[in-house]
Amino acid sequence: MAVTRQPGSFGPSEFQTGLCDFCGDCGTCLYGLCCYPCLGCSIASDMDECCLCGLSMAIRSVYRTKYNIQGSLCGDFWAVGCCPLCATCQLKRDIDRRKEQGIF
């Protein structure tokens, strides 16, 4: 049997939820609204990074690269710059879904 895909590699994809998909996970959105820095620390913890990194554009870019999610640094910059809460909640929703699917 030939190996056609390396373990841990992912085909090109999109984030599993939209940037403004608040109703997809109200708990994450409320968490972000009530304690935005805590949500960032939770993301950083999920990714084994420093707590200060959780709210940065860099962690979004690292995550996107790791899971081969389509996009660009410019897109990450605009998402985090224009609506940091939306971008952070989207990232946390995606992490949680990948955990449920066993691919995180």
Side-chain angles (χ1 to χ4, degrees):
M1 177 183 229
V3 175
T4 58
R5 193 171 137 187
Q6 292 295 324
S9 67
F10 297 93
S13 64
E14 298 285 331
F15 278 100
Q16 296 183 42
T17 62
L19 189 62
C20 297
D21 190 11
F22 303 114
C23 296
D25 183 358
C26 293
T28 297
C29 292
L30 287 173
Y31 185 27
L33 282 170
C34 293
C35 191
Y36 181 64
C38 297
L39 180 60
C41 278
S42 176
I43 290 170
S45 176
D46 289 339
M47 295 185 63
D48 294 325
E49 295 289 339
C50 167
C51 204
L52 298 174
C53 298
L55 299 175
S56 71
M57 178 195 85
I59 202 154
R60 183 179 176 89
S61 295
V62 167
Y63 182 82
R64 214 177 28 74
T65 301
K66 181 175 180 178
Y67 291 101
N68 203 11
I69 297 171
Q70 296 175 355
S72 66
L73 286 173
C74 185
D76 294 335
F77 173 81
W78 284 109
V80 172
C82 291
C83 190
L85 180 61
C86 297
T88 304
C89 287
Q90 180 189 36
L91 182 56
K92 182 61 177 164
R93 286 191 305 268
D94 204 81
I95 289 170
D96 290 345
R97 287 194 179 187
R98 287 183 190 273
K99 283 181 178 180
E100 290 171 4
Q101 296 164 352
I103 56 174
F104 182 77

